[in-house]
Amino acid sequence: MSNSPASRTTIPPTVWPARGRHAGPAAEDAVRRRLAGLQAAGVLHSHVEPDDVDPAQGHVFEARWVVPDEVTVRARLALFPPAGPGEDREWVLVAEAERPWEPHWPSPATMFWPPEPDAGWDREAVTGLPLGDVSHLPDDDKDLRRVLRHALRDTWAVHVVVHEAMTPDERGRPALVRLLPEGLRHRVVEHRAAPHRLRAVNWVLDDFGTRVPRGGAVVLPGGPPPAGHDAREFSVRSVFLDGSEPTELLDAVTRFAALPRPLPPGAGEALNALREQWHLRTLEEELARARELVTMYSEALDAMTKSRDLYRDAAERAHEALAAYQEAGAGRIPPARKRARAATGSPFQQLARGLERLRGTALSLRPGAGPLTADTEGTAAAGGKGPGSAEPAAAGGPAPEAPEAPAAGDPAARSSGDG
């Protein structure tokens, strides 16, 4: 998927997407136990673990439930194989409701994963930072740039940077984002910058057009930023880490999450799989699906019929035009001329063959000319002189007449024979 803003669609308001990383073994077993427990408690309407899914889509779980406002939610969790032995497993969760999502609804993540803090699933997919908890920015400049640049480009989670004006006490150490509604908390990463790291943090943020105030906080825009985003509107000048509720910061995070944000890479495929490969259908949904298929097939058949009729009309007009063309006498096409055989050999060989043909033609035109032999060839080359050959006639004079042979019984013939 392209990263340009023009080619990226926004997240539908009815969709709740999330991506994370599960650390530790037996991820499927943890999901199965959680789903079975919630269905037994009546929280879930139904759930299934389909076995007809392409392995490239991961290990899939589906569940549906009803939120307090009597709105049905459908969700699909995909668990992907680890990249190597001992590696964490990435997961992608997409939920869709019948109406725009409300932050106070239960988090779809806790419908599949156990809510215990040490369950190991609530980790950001790329950096492994905790979701819905506090994470201190590294002291190393290289690591700091890596973490912040990912946070500035990430569209799956909401990243917040809080600067500690002074080292907080026990009351200010817990994460501020824990005060957010549950449906939003599992999509937020809170970064804490130490008091002496403000300049280094802003040195990275300046490249993306945002800054964190001293002793304040800022919601990072993500890449690309949402439509209508203004960095000043999501910057908080003062955040008191004394255990009080940071109302201004929580409001900024809530407003940012409500913006039409770009659909994260891979979320479009997950949403299509949720909509097109859904297994937990009720009887009414099955009937509606069957009607949709009938309508789709009917429209396709109608389009094929129209295409066939158009093709038949075009063929008939073509035959009529061809018949009229033949009746007018213009239907005969002159035979194509044979292509000349391509000449082969060198230019000298072609010239020699041409001379041979010409010489043979000239000799064949002479009366009484026999086949060309070595003697005749030598004679022809000498100008026609040879044994038994007569001198050519003088130029301009008549050709000498050959003496007539004496007739039988002539005295001259007898005298010649006697001599």
Side-chain angles (χ1 to χ4, degrees):
M1 184 179 290
S2 174
N3 289 329
S4 61
S7 61
R8 298 272 296 274
T9 58
T10 57
I11 302 175
T14 58
V15 173
W16 190 96
R19 185 179 70 159
R21 183 194 300 181
H22 179 272
E28 291 91 345
D29 293 339
V31 175
R32 293 189 189 104
R33 288 194 299 269
R34 180 63 175 171
L35 292 174
L38 291 180
Q39 184 166 357
V43 177
L44 292 181
H45 179 273
S46 58
H47 75 277
V48 69
E49 188 175 348
D51 55 0
D52 58 345
V53 179
D54 185 359
Q57 298 182 10
H59 197 103
V60 174
F61 296 88
E62 295 180 358
R64 65 184 300 156
W65 62 91
V66 178
V67 295
D69 297 333
E70 298 299 325
V71 178
T72 300
V73 177
R74 303 184 305 164
R76 188 176 192 267
L77 172 70
L79 267 172
F80 297 96
E87 296 288 336
D88 297 340
R89 300 192 58 179
E90 183 179 335
W91 55 266
V92 172
L93 172 57
V94 176
E96 186 171 21
E98 294 178 333
R99 76 179 198 189
W101 199 269
E102 296 290 342
H104 66 272
W105 289 347
S107 172
T110 55
M111 294 293 178
F112 291 89
W113 297 109
E116 290 79 11
D118 57 348
W121 60 269
D122 51 350
R123 299 287 172 176
E124 200 271 327
V126 177
T127 60
L129 299 176
L131 294 169
D133 205 345
V134 67
S135 173
H136 292 277
L137 290 171
D139 290 332
D140 182 74
D141 289 343
K142 183 178 179 180
D143 293 338
L144 175 69
R145 289 192 297 269
R146 177 182 58 85
V147 171
L148 286 181
R149 286 177 179 174
H150 167 70
L152 285 159
R153 298 187 179 100
D154 188 21
T155 52
W156 279 97
V158 179
H159 293 262
V160 182
V161 178
V162 179
H163 177 240
E164 298 174 343
M166 60 183 66
T167 303
D169 56 12
E170 190 66 28
R171 296 173 301 172
R173 291 174 186 171
L176 302 177
V177 295
R178 289 185 176 182
L179 302 175
L180 289 168
E182 183 181 328
L184 182 57
R185 183 169 67 247
H186 294 144
R187 296 169 55 195
V188 179
V189 179
E190 179 182 339
H191 304 270
R192 289 282 184 94
H196 65 283
R197 298 294 288 168
L198 179 63
R199 180 176 298 180
V201 170
N202 281 333
W203 184 75
V204 180
L205 299 183
D206 283 340
D207 294 339
F208 295 84
T210 186
R211 292 176 65 87
V212 55
R214 180 178 297 275
V218 65
V219 182
L220 300 184
H229 177 269
D230 187 352
R232 295 171 298 181
E233 296 182 1
F234 302 99
S235 177
V236 180
R237 296 186 60 86
S238 298
V239 176
F240 298 101
L241 302 176
D242 55 0
S244 60
E245 182 176 350
T247 307
E248 190 176 358
L249 176 60
L250 300 179
D251 178 69
V253 174
T254 305
R255 286 187 290 106
F256 179 84
L259 291 176
R261 303 172 61 203
L263 198 65
E269 293 81 356
L271 180 58
N272 290 336
L274 170 66
R275 293 174 174 176
E276 299 174 4
Q277 303 176 20
W278 183 249
H279 295 78
L280 294 174
R281 292 191 180 94
T282 62
L283 180 59
E284 293 78 8
E285 291 174 344
E286 289 288 354
L287 291 175
R289 176 65 175 170
R291 294 190 186 98
E292 291 177 1
L293 292 176
V294 169
T295 303
M296 182 179 64
Y297 293 149
S298 176
E299 293 175 353
L301 181 61
D302 184 60
M304 293 173 60
T305 304
K306 291 180 180 178
S307 177
R308 182 202 60 188
D309 295 341
L310 292 174
Y311 177 80
R312 182 175 56 192
D313 294 343
E316 291 176 355
R317 288 194 296 270
H319 284 299
E320 293 173 359
L322 180 60
Y325 185 70
Q326 292 175 346
E327 290 176 0
R332 292 174 295 176
I333 302 175
R337 298 169 63 181
K338 286 187 177 181
R339 292 184 60 185
R341 180 179 297 177
T344 58
S346 67
F348 298 103
Q349 292 174 348
Q350 298 175 20
L351 179 61
R353 285 196 294 268
L355 292 176
E356 290 290 343
R357 287 194 297 270
L358 290 174
R359 185 172 62 182
T361 304
L363 290 176
S364 65
L365 294 176
R366 294 177 59 185
L372 186 63
T373 63
D375 295 338
T376 58
E377 185 177 359
T379 303
K385 293 181 180 183
S389 63
E391 291 290 336
E401 295 181 0
E404 294 181 359
D410 193 284
R414 288 193 299 269
S415 60
S416 174
D418 293 340

